[in-house]
Amino acid sequence: MTPSHQHAILGVRFGAVNHTHQIILLMPTNNTPKAPRPTPRPAIVFFDIDDTLFIKDSNSIPKTLIPALTSLKATGTMIAIATGRSIGVIPPIIKTLIEQVGIELILSINGQYNQYQGNKFLDFPLPPTDIHHTITELTTKGITHACMTKDTIYTFGDDDNLHTALSSLHIGYVPSKHDSFDWQQPIYQILGFFGDKDTPPTLPAHLKTVRWHDVAVDILAQSASKARAIAAVLNHLGIDASQAAAFGDGLNDQEMIQLVGTGIAMGNAHPTLKAMADFVCLRHDEDGIAHALSDFGWI
């Protein structure tokens, strides 16, 4: 077991160690047993929230999760959140987890608004021209939509798609009207509530949609992703991507899983994410994270 170099971020010091351990419950993406190999403990691990840390169907977390994350942090590994949610709509039970474990780095809105110890350190608001074009297009197409600020979701219109998608994540929102909304505040992401079979909005080539529900998509810049924020964090810390790990389940986790040295998809993850991940662990509601951390020898 060989200690690595220490790293510092805003006054916090932490380190990673190399640790060899046989992988037991983790399976490679071709579903055949993987031969044991050295599995270095990462310097930092990024965790998605919904269907990774958070069991949204039961509005709960596994009983093993907080002890496992606490043990991981005690080794010197830094723990970070990387979520599509804004800060203001993080589930209460996850806020409790963040407080109890002592997680200080949160990458929110798919890396568009990021904070450390409660303070913004990096953000990527949408340009006003992109906001205007997208809102106009969604309105013209009759698509219910929403704008995400750093802590609030403001909705425009009201239909079953909106209720179905947001209620699935236990997300609160503020009904709004275009003519009275404060368009001067930073907007980091736009949500469109439509299905695959509906007519999609026509967007500029530098914008993209990422589907997170059967009837909902994120609309953001082509360059926007959790990975962009993670790359900035790693550069600031002086950590190579090979020393980072990440757990995720959705299509908005693809770039993150590809960037880090060890990308782990949950057993309940989207098939596309499973196919590109280095490992697939047990489901989020089967103590997948705790088992993975133990089987890698990280705790």
Side-chain angles (χ1 to χ4, degrees):
M1 189 177 294
T2 306
S4 72
H5 296 294
Q6 295 288 313
H7 304 277
I9 177 171
L10 303 177
V12 175
R13 298 190 65 80
F14 61 97
V17 297
N18 293 327
H19 188 94
T20 302
H21 190 85
Q22 181 173 350
I23 299 164
I24 302 170
L25 294 178
L26 294 174
M27 298 292 287
T29 53
N30 62 4
N31 292 322
T32 58
K34 182 175 180 63
R37 69 170 177 82
T39 309
R41 185 182 290 116
I44 186 168
V45 183
F46 298 88
F47 292 92
D48 174 50
I49 289 180
D50 292 292
D51 293 327
T52 300
L53 295 174
F54 182 52
I55 307 171
K56 64 175 186 281
D57 292 342
S58 60
N59 194 22
S60 65
I61 61 174
K63 293 181 179 180
T64 58
L65 187 57
I66 289 178
L69 295 183
T70 301
S71 295
L72 178 63
K73 186 180 179 185
T75 69
T77 293
M78 188 175 188
I79 299 174
I81 298 292
T83 179
R85 289 178 180 256
S86 61
I87 299 293
V89 296
I90 291 177
I93 196 168
I94 297 297
K95 289 183 178 180
T96 298
L97 177 150
I98 289 170
E99 293 174 1
Q100 291 187 6
V101 176
I103 300 173
E104 299 179 313
L105 178 60
I106 300 177
L107 312 183
S108 71
I109 318 178
N110 292 312
Q112 311 322 297
Y113 183 86
N114 309 287
Q115 69 177 38
Y116 177 73
Q117 293 184 340
N119 298 310
K120 180 184 75 174
F121 71 88
L122 178 70
D123 71 337
F124 302 96
L126 285 168
T129 52
D130 287 345
I131 296 169
H132 175 75
H133 176 97
T134 303
I135 295 300
T136 300
E137 174 67 8
L138 291 168
T139 302
T140 301
K141 292 279 176 65
I143 298 172
T144 301
H145 49 278
C147 292
M148 295 182 68
T149 65
K150 69 181 181 66
D151 51 21
T152 305
I153 295 178
Y154 295 94
T155 59
F156 302 92
D158 188 20
D159 61 14
D160 288 342
N161 286 351
L162 181 151
H163 288 290
T164 298
L166 294 184
S167 65
S168 73
L169 298 180
H170 307 279
I171 287 179
Y173 54 89
V174 178
S176 306
K177 294 184 179 180
H178 292 136
D179 56 3
S180 59
F181 184 69
D182 177 13
W183 295 103
Q184 301 304 310
Q185 63 185 312
I187 295 172
Y188 295 96
Q189 190 168 273
I190 296 172
L191 307 179
F193 300 97
F194 62 91
D196 279 331
K197 296 182 180 179
D198 297 326
T199 302
T202 301
L203 301 173
H206 61 275
L207 296 181
K208 66 180 177 181
T209 62
V210 179
R211 184 161 294 282
W212 55 270
H213 190 279
D214 289 343
V215 292
V217 301
D218 296 328
I219 301 174
L220 61 171
Q222 287 283 358
S223 60
S225 69
K226 296 179 182 182
R228 177 170 64 173
I230 289 172
V233 168
L234 296 179
N235 181 65
H236 181 79
L237 293 172
I239 299 175
D240 189 82
S242 64
Q243 295 178 284
F247 287 78
D249 74 285
L251 295 176
N252 64 334
D253 295 319
Q254 292 179 83
E255 297 91 346
M256 173 176 74
I257 291 295
Q258 290 179 309
L259 172 66
V260 298
T262 305
I264 304 161
M266 307 303 295
N268 50 284
H270 191 285
T272 299
L273 193 72
K274 288 183 179 180
M276 67 176 57
D278 297 304
F279 297 95
V280 175
C281 69
L282 294 173
R283 291 176 52 87
H284 64 323
D285 53 6
E286 296 176 341
D287 301 310
I289 289 175
H291 281 300
L293 296 178
S294 176
D295 295 338
F296 270 128
W298 295 350
I299 60 174

